[in-house]
Amino acid sequence: MGVEFGLLGPVVARDADGSSLPLGAPRHREVLGRLLVARGRVVPVARLVADLWEGEPPAGAVGSVRTFVAALRRALEPGRLPRTPSRLLVTDGPGYALRAGRDAVDAWRFEDTIARAAEAPPQAAVALWDEALALWRGSVLADFPAAAWASAERARLEALRLDTVERRADALLATGAARDAVADLRAHVAAHPGREDGWVLLATALDRAGRRGEALEALAQAGDALAGGRGGRALARTEARILSGTEDSAAEPAGTADSIWNRAAASWDRSVPARSRARLHATAGLLRDLAVTGADGLVEAGRHRRDLVAAAETTGDTELAARIIGSYDVPAVWTRADDPEAAGELSRAAARAAARLGPDGPAALRGRLLSVVAVESRGDAAADAPLARAADAPADAPAAEPWRRRAAGASEEAVRLARRLGDPALLAFALNAAFMQSFGDCGSAARRDALGAELARLAVDHQLPEHEVLGRIVRLQALAGLGDFTAADTEAEEIDRLAHRNERPLAGVFTAWYRALRICEAEGWAAARTPYLQVLADTADCGMPGLTRGAAALVALVPIMREDALPDPGDFAHLDAGPYRPWLDPLLLAASGATEQAHKALATVPRPPHDHLQEALWCVLARAAGAVGHVPVLRRAREELTAAEAEYAGAGSGLISFGPVSHHLAAINAALDAHAPSSSATADGKL
């Protein structure tokens, strides 16, 4: 329809001649910006009202929104006949949508242009990067800098712009135009001093331009700018390369690992075409290996994996996309996803690929995709509806929570396929998926021990060291849950030995936590307090927020839950309970004497997630319910925990232990007896 829109700066609309259209007052432009951010999706009127008037909207807000939309329609389609429906700003169900093509919105053209640049050879890429950056007229949605509805899109596009500046500079370096890159890179790092890649590129450009002293000075400035941050390694490598005196590191002995890596990487870039599918396959393998190198590698691999999967899906080659998605068989040991949103996206991508392959597709590839679905659906990461309440009687889980049925079914089919094919690597991945889906009920430590033992044996027989480490961690946790701490000690020692030999430092996170738990079991909380404080500090930046976020609050609960006590709410005031907040709050309310509020919280709190800590969280809820006499939660907790009576509450996590489940069950029964209705009250009809 000839109208073009701008988000990369103030919100604008232009006609086919490039003339600005009169959009009216700021509220009109804000409605337009909000609809553009929705990317063609319908925005309900209620959502528009909430976004435009943060806080309490005025009484006539809905009518005002409709007035704004009507004015925008007149401005965007001035030649539209009266009573003719708009073809651009349409009414759809409960709201409005803007039907604009990708070429009609500057932000979308920017995204498409950088995607083309990423696949182009360096010379052509520079022109495309320039074309993309020329679309920017200022900050994203510059006339609405404080709008909460714009914050996510603003952050995403700004991050893409910074990445584009650096990739353009990288392409300039590849064409030999180092001098041309210097000025822009200086401005870039001055405006964004926390960008380590920008500093590396600036130092490289200065060095290649014959200004080695300035290059080293830039690296020194970068070190100051990044002090206390997450940078450093790339700077050190760049400095070593510059000091060696040759850009291609030829001064290094030819047989050193770094020299071989540098030469092989350079040969790869020269030899493999930019759009070759071999690059996607190689990147997938690189990210898989990167994920097990340590905390930084795990974080970076996770960040790039989403982009890689998206790139593979855009090829339109179903089998290629399936192979890329299914290649990431990195051992997964924790049931709470580090990034639930990303996990959900990856699970859905794997499910789409499996559906496109169909039941007659390659069986091994289907098995890998099903394993991805199960692993990424860990805990309740794939939940597409609110969780059932803890106060409700347990429903038929497959019917009430279909996402669990899908994930469990995926893991079961993956294991069947792997066993039928006799593929040990696929079976190891499928067993990992089965482990992730083994938390459907409390009291499953024995089953997990069996899974871990099979996985470890398989890995030893077929030289799969990463999965041997995984199998032993699974056993370590399960044995702790079963209270067999002597056997768990043996697994911890073997895990540390394997991790050292195979350079897998992240395994040490789990053994460090287990040893604090072990001291607590053997010597009591007083002896374990200092080791727990140490392990909290040592593993805070291990790259696994799903494991560590909220862990300090769990540790603070240990001495309370191991005794028949209530917490001091003040002890938790400054602790981040993270994802465990919903299950901790009723206990803190009960402890503070807010009985009615605790009752209400217990009536609405969702059931604990199906993960490593479900038994521990049921015990926490039971302690709160016992304190305020909430019988439905007490009964539900008893029903859930009875299957785990022989286990230690929480110890199956390998992180913390609240002591024997049997002790908590005894307390639940005592509380139920104390709050049971008396016969006389029942006879009087009072209860």
Side-chain angles (χ1 to χ4, degrees):
M1 283 166 275
V3 181
E4 293 189 353
F5 301 93
L7 292 177
L8 305 180
V11 176
V12 296
R14 297 187 178 90
D15 61 19
D17 296 328
S19 301
S20 293
L21 295 173
L23 297 180
R27 284 296 194 199
H28 299 73
R29 296 197 305 278
E30 189 170 6
V31 169
L32 179 59
R34 179 63 182 88
L35 294 174
L36 286 168
V37 165
R39 293 175 168 260
R41 296 186 296 274
V42 175
V43 182
V45 172
R47 181 73 265 164
L48 282 170
V49 168
D51 287 342
L52 266 63
W53 288 277
E54 297 176 16
E56 188 68 27
V62 171
S64 296
V65 166
R66 290 175 176 151
T67 300
F68 301 156
V69 169
L72 281 171
R73 284 171 170 164
R74 290 192 296 271
L76 297 176
E77 298 177 80
R80 182 169 55 89
L81 296 175
R83 290 184 170 74
T84 302
S86 172
R87 297 164 54 208
L88 189 56
L89 203 170
V90 303
T91 300
D92 191 340
Y96 304 105
L98 192 73
R99 306 301 191 199
R102 288 197 65 82
D103 287 345
V105 182
D106 59 0
W108 305 349
R109 291 204 308 277
F110 169 71
E111 293 170 344
D112 292 344
T113 304
I114 64 175
R116 287 161 47 214
E119 296 184 351
Q123 197 75 45
V126 171
L128 288 169
W129 297 125
D130 285 340
E131 180 184 332
L133 290 169
L135 293 168
W136 287 72
R137 298 169 288 108
S139 60
V140 178
L141 295 157
D143 31 4
F144 307 106
W149 56 264
S151 60
E153 184 72 350
R154 180 182 295 112
R156 188 183 68 83
L157 289 169
E158 290 286 359
L160 283 176
R161 184 183 68 81
L162 296 179
D163 187 56
T164 297
V165 170
E166 291 168 0
R167 297 184 75 173
R168 173 187 178 274
D170 198 25
L172 281 172
L173 292 175
T175 65
R179 293 180 184 276
D180 295 339
V182 169
D184 287 343
L185 284 169
R186 282 200 186 279
H188 177 63
V189 298
H192 306 282
R195 303 278 297 189
E196 184 177 15
D197 287 351
W199 287 106
V200 167
L201 286 164
L202 174 58
T204 302
L206 287 166
D207 183 41
R208 292 187 185 179
R211 297 152 67 177
R212 183 157 302 173
E214 292 180 63
L216 294 172
E217 182 181 345
L219 290 173
Q221 293 172 347
D224 293 338
L226 295 168
R230 288 184 56 253
R233 296 182 183 179
L235 295 180
R237 287 194 298 269
T238 304
E239 183 177 27
R241 188 186 68 234
I242 292 173
L243 290 173
S244 72
T246 55
E247 180 59 33
D248 59 3
S249 300
E252 294 178 346
T256 64
D258 285 348
S259 174
I260 295 168
W261 171 273
N262 290 336
R263 287 183 283 116
S267 297
W268 174 271
D269 276 340
R270 288 194 301 269
S271 304
V272 180
R275 298 179 183 179
S276 169
R277 295 179 182 183
R279 286 185 177 258
L280 287 175
H281 284 294
T283 303
L286 183 63
L287 292 182
R288 187 208 175 283
D289 291 341
L290 180 64
V292 296
T293 59
D296 289 346
L298 179 62
V299 171
E300 291 296 320
R303 184 166 64 89
H304 296 305
R305 183 185 175 200
R306 296 171 74 175
D307 294 339
L308 178 66
V309 169
E313 288 192 301
T314 60
T315 66
D317 186 329
T318 297
E319 189 162 325
L320 171 66
R323 292 189 183 282
I324 295 300
I325 295 168
S327 66
Y328 195 85
D329 57 352
V330 175
V333 72
W334 194 246
T335 39
R336 182 172 289 279
D338 293 328
D339 184 341
E341 181 182 350
E345 286 182 13
L346 292 165
S347 177
R348 290 189 291 273
R352 285 195 301 271
R356 288 169 185 155
L357 282 179
D360 298 326
L365 189 50
R366 180 172 175 78
R368 285 190 165 274
L369 290 170
L370 292 169
S371 296
V372 172
V373 170
V375 168
E376 298 301 338
S377 299
R378 64 190 75 178
D380 292 309
D384 49 19
L387 301 186
R389 295 182 303 178
D392 294 339
D396 180 12
E401 299 176 334
W403 64 87
R404 290 177 54 204
R405 181 182 68 244
R406 291 193 295 267
S411 72
E412 291 165 4
E413 186 178 351
V415 171
R416 283 197 300 271
L417 285 170
R419 293 196 194 282
R420 177 166 63 82
L421 294 170
D423 183 334
L426 176 58
L427 181 56
F429 192 13
L431 289 173
N432 193 173
F435 164 67
M436 282 296 174
Q437 294 303 318
S438 66
F439 294 84
D441 300 295
C442 291
S444 59
R447 181 188 172 203
R448 298 199 300 276
D449 183 35
L451 279 170
E454 180 181 3
L455 183 53
R457 286 194 304 271
L458 176 77
V460 169
D461 291 343
H462 296 281
Q463 293 295 294
L464 303 170
E466 290 162 6
H467 281 90
E468 182 183 358
V469 173
L470 171 63
R472 292 188 179 279
I473 293 175
V474 170
R475 290 209 70 205
L476 168 74
Q477 296 169 340
L479 290 165
L482 293 167
D484 189 349
F485 297 107
T486 301
D489 291 343
T490 301
E491 293 296 338
E493 292 173 6
E494 187 63 16
I495 290 165
D496 285 341
R497 185 185 68 81
L498 288 167
H500 177 73
R501 186 176 72 190
N502 295 289
E503 296 182 318
R504 296 296 180 256
L506 290 177
V509 171
F510 296 95
T511 55
W513 272 96
Y514 168 72
R515 289 194 169 94
L517 181 160
R518 185 70 173 97
I519 291 170
C520 192
E521 284 296 337
E523 304 176 40
W525 169 251
R529 183 177 182 278
T530 298
Y532 264 127
L533 292 175
Q534 187 64 51
V535 77
L536 280 168
D538 290 346
T539 62
D541 297 320
C542 67
M544 293 183 280
L547 174 76
T548 57
R549 186 160 179 252
L554 292 175
V555 170
L557 279 172
V558 169
I560 297 156
M561 296 301 297
R562 292 175 72 87
E563 303 291 339
D564 295 322
L566 291 176
D568 180 346
D571 293 341
F572 291 81
H574 302 294
L575 291 179
D576 176 16
Y580 309 110
R581 173 60 64 186
W583 299 280
L584 178 58
D585 277 348
L587 182 63
L588 296 178
L589 288 168
S592 67
T595 302
E596 185 176 347
Q597 290 175 270
H599 253 280
K600 290 180 180 178
L602 286 165
T604 58
V605 67
R607 59 139 179 90
H610 293 286
D611 62 18
H612 281 85
L613 288 158
Q614 61 180 326
E615 292 92 351
L617 294 178
W618 275 117
C619 290
V620 172
L621 288 180
R623 181 68 57 85
V628 298
H630 197 288
V631 173
V633 168
L634 283 168
R635 288 175 177 164
R636 178 73 187 276
R638 180 172 64 182
E639 185 169 350
E640 296 288 343
L641 290 171
T642 296
E645 186 171 10
E647 297 183 10
Y648 279 63
S653 67
L655 271 63
I656 50 99
S657 171
F658 293 164
V661 172
S662 58
H663 176 82
H664 295 277
L665 281 170
I668 291 171
N669 287 326
L672 284 170
D673 289 343
H675 295 289
S678 67
S679 57
S680 60
T682 303
D684 291 341
K686 295 178 180 177
L687 292 176

